[in-house]
Amino acid sequence: MFNYNLKQKIKKIEAGNPRFSDSFQSYECACRILLLCERDAYEVLLPEIDGFRQTGKELEVLVIDIKKQKGSVPLTDTPDYVKVLTPSDFSRCSHTPVADILKFLKQHRYDVMIDVSTELNYPMLYLAYIIPASCKMGLKKGDTSPYQFMIQSTQPLTSSEVWENLLFYWKKIDIKKNNS
């Protein structure tokens, strides 16, 4: 039921948002980047995140921690560039972000949003659609996709592999563009 309502909202967004091919941001030109990931991925990606932040790019991280797992401890002592969304940040009925989170998201604009989730997760997909970013990247999952730049694989990928592949190809496209 909840996924049905969320799917309908996503379809409505898709119908109203035409894709623009000129929205691609080159790696060199992108300054503000948002990484969208699940909690498990954040803990694994922490070394890569720290390394990426040392390149001089402004990277913010939006961690989605909505899976209810027994014995899971809330993330604490996160740096100021990390925002953690928990079940209380989502409506119980529709699984969409509550008004405070929507306001927070609309106040920030990004050059690029990178979604490293590996499975179709409708609350995350909805967030990927509504986050204000010029260019959105991620792994192709299912028929719907908010991304202008996607990778796909015949084998399951981990979030680290999605991150590495997206960065690799993103930088390659940039090099080819500069060498033309």
Side-chain angles (χ1 to χ4, degrees):
M1 172 87 174
F2 298 127
N3 279 343
Y4 175 78
N5 292 335
L6 212 45
K7 285 180 194 178
Q8 295 307 313
K9 285 183 182 245
I10 290 169
K11 283 182 182 181
K12 188 174 181 179
I13 292 170
E14 279 183 328
N17 286 342
R19 283 229 177 103
F20 298 105
S21 60
D22 61 349
S23 63
F24 181 80
Q25 296 284 319
S26 70
Y27 178 79
E28 289 299 318
C29 294
C31 297
R32 292 199 70 208
I33 301 163
L34 176 70
L35 177 64
L36 180 63
C37 65
E38 292 177 322
R39 178 197 172 135
D40 298 343
Y42 170 71
E43 293 170 346
V44 172
L45 286 170
L46 207 45
E48 285 93 348
I49 291 170
D50 291 338
F52 187 82
R53 287 187 54 83
Q54 292 175 1
T55 65
K57 303 276 186 196
E58 185 181 339
L59 178 70
E60 294 180 26
V61 182
L62 187 59
V63 179
I64 313 304
D65 188 11
I66 57 173
K67 292 182 181 176
K68 296 177 181 169
Q69 298 174 357
K70 285 186 176 181
S72 70
V73 178
L75 287 176
T76 56
D77 298 329
T78 56
D80 59 346
Y81 60 87
V82 175
K83 173 104 174 124
V84 180
L85 299 183
T86 61
S88 64
D89 295 317
F90 292 86
S91 167
R92 288 183 59 195
C93 297
S94 65
H95 288 256
T96 57
V98 295
D100 291 344
I101 299 303
L102 290 173
K103 183 179 175 183
F104 169 81
L105 291 173
K106 289 180 182 183
Q107 290 175 344
H108 296 82
R109 181 133 191 91
Y110 302 97
D111 297 325
V112 176
M113 180 209 68
I114 302 173
D115 177 0
V116 295
S117 62
T118 58
E119 296 177 7
L120 187 59
N121 176 327
Y122 288 103
M124 284 192 67
L125 184 63
Y126 182 75
L127 281 171
Y129 271 107
I130 66 169
I131 288 172
S134 299
C135 180
K136 299 178 181 184
M137 301 180 186
L139 177 66
K140 182 172 174 61
K141 301 176 283 268
D143 296 333
T144 61
S145 179
Y147 316 116
Q148 288 88 4
F149 182 71
M150 292 179 275
I151 60 170
Q152 64 183 86
S153 177
T154 56
Q155 302 173 34
L157 297 176
T158 65
S159 292
S160 292
E161 292 169 328
V162 171
W163 169 259
E164 290 168 7
N165 282 308
L166 284 170
L167 286 180
F168 175 80
Y169 289 112
W170 186 24
K171 289 176 183 178
K172 287 290 185 186
I173 289 171
D174 196 36
I175 289 170
K176 287 183 179 183
K177 183 177 177 182
N178 289 335
N179 289 334
S180 312

